[in-house]
């Protein structure tokens, strides 16, 4: 099959890690008989340097005409880079917010996987980790508290700040549907996280999730209060498959979940709209401190490419092949600098990409 992929190399380590993800995708194409047509587009700092703005109409148009967007990461050193002397709407991150909005990317997916080979990096005790964990946080990205009306007023000489948490049933329904669809591709369990004992928005959330669940009888649904979820993540992370939650809860829980995997260079992410379209990028930033040194870990970006195959292109076998290849390389003891420990083999960004690409097999 043929797929059009818009590619945003981005800033800092972005172009280095995206090059390795493309290397792996090309190997998948060769082995499985597909064609990926890449089109490079600019966003973030690179776009500011070329056009004076972090996001252009042309970038949006190319992204919209593609089947998916694969991105490195954007941004520079926030204290020294001239990009951060610009007005906020002209800085690199404004490009990212802009493209998410333009593409209507309302569902954010962040897998948190603890690889057996990287157990040492996990801050939890062995008896908690047991056989490791593999969960996915599905966070609503365009509604809730961060997008509600807000203001700060003064009443009788006392300052008062007001934020509003709003969700419509339509917004809840579409993210719930995505959560169940994705659970079907995994272990078929959804934990919907809310604060229904206090918040009206959470009570509506719970009611709508229950309604949507009726269409997905093969998927097990449970509800969990957000405070309990925060605790369960460090008490028994293996119990989770898909955690489905609203914007702010997801913001906090996804950082907690990524922390317990222990390695930032391994964490992929995807942002989806209500078609098959998605933007795929590592969870980490552009790491300007190590840019251009060929030492960044490309695995988060390669795993993001694997998510693209699974969720936008429905190429599950191909995605499995990438994930198997990564596990193989780790089992063989190859590590980039960020995940290196005694007795293992140090490899560069490019070597890691080569090793993974060489291990892509159909079965
Ligand atoms: P960062 O994630 O870029 O780096 C934090 C630390 O982790 C650094 O020490 C870095 O060297 C290391 N690191 C990150 N990715 C790595 C990898 N693949 N391999 C090895 N080490 C890695 O976070 P930061 O330093 O706070 O931010 C740098 C820039 O990235 C800022 O401009 C920020 O706004 C931007 N940022 C962009 C995104 C995005 O593109 N979605 C996300 C987060 C931060």
């Amino acid at each position: 099959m043929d797929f059009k992929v818009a590619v945003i190399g981005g800033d800092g380590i972005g172009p280095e890690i995206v090059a390795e993800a493309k290397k792996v995708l090309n190997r998948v194409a060769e082995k499985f008989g597909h064609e990926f047509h890449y089109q490079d587009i600019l966003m973030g700092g690179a776009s500011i340097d070329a056009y004076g703005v972090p996001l252009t109409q042309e970038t949006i148009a190319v992204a919209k005409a593609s089947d998916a967007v694969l991105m490195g990461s954007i941004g520079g050193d926030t204290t020294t880079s001239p990009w951060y002397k610009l007005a906020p709407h002209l800085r690199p991150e404004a490009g990212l917010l802009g493209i998410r909005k333009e593409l209507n990317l309302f569902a954010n997916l962040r897998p948190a996987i603890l690889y057996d080979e990287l157990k040492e990096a996990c801050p939890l005790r062995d008896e908690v980790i047991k056989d490791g964990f593999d969960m996915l946080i599905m966070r609503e990205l365009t509604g809730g508290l961060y997008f509600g009306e807000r203001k700060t007023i003064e009443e009788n000489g006392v300052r008062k700040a007001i934020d509003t948490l709003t969700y419509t049933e339509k917004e809840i329904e579409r993210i719930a549907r995505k959560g169940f669809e994705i659970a079907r591709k995994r272990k078929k369990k959804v934990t919907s996280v809310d604060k229904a004992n206090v918040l009206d928005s959470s009570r509506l959330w719970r009611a709508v999730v229950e309604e949507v669940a009726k269409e997905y009888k093969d998927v097990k649904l449970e509800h969990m209060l957000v405070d309990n979820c925060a605790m369960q993540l460090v008490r028994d992370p293996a119990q989770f498959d898909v955690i489905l939650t609203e914007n702010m809860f997801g913001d906090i829980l996804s950082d907690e979940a990524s922390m317990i995997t222990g390695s930032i260079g391994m964490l992929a992410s995807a942002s989806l709209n209500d078609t098959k379209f998605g933007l795929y990028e590592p969870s980490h930033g552009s790491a300007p401190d190590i840019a251009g040194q060929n030492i960044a870990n490309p695995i988060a970006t390669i795993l993001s490419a694997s998510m693209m195959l699974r969720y936008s292109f429905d190429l599950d076998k191909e995605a499995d092949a990438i994930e198997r290849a990564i596990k193989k390389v780790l089992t063989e003891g190859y590590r980039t600098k960020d995940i290196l420990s005694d007795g293992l083999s140090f490899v560069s960004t490019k070597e890691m990409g080569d090793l993974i690409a060489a291990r892509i097999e159909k079965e």
Side-chain angles (χ1 to χ4, degrees), residues 98-116:
I99 201 165
R100 281 182 180 151
K101 188 160 168 261
E102 288 288 342
L103 302 173
N104 193 24
L105 303 172
F106 65 84
N108 182 245
L109 277 67
R110 270 168 70 169
I113 303 168
L114 183 65
Y115 290 88
D116 234 22

Side-chain angles (χ1 to χ4, degrees), residues 13 17 71-78 84 93 96 100 264-265 281-290 295-298 338:
I13 58 171
I17 53 184
M71 190 176 118
S73 37
I74 52 111
D77 185 318
T78 48
Y84 296 92
E93 286 70 17
L96 190 54
R100 281 182 180 151
I264 193 170
E281 56 173 326
S283 293
H284 59 73
S286 58
D289 53 333
I290 57 166
I295 58 168
N297 186 348
D338 55 313

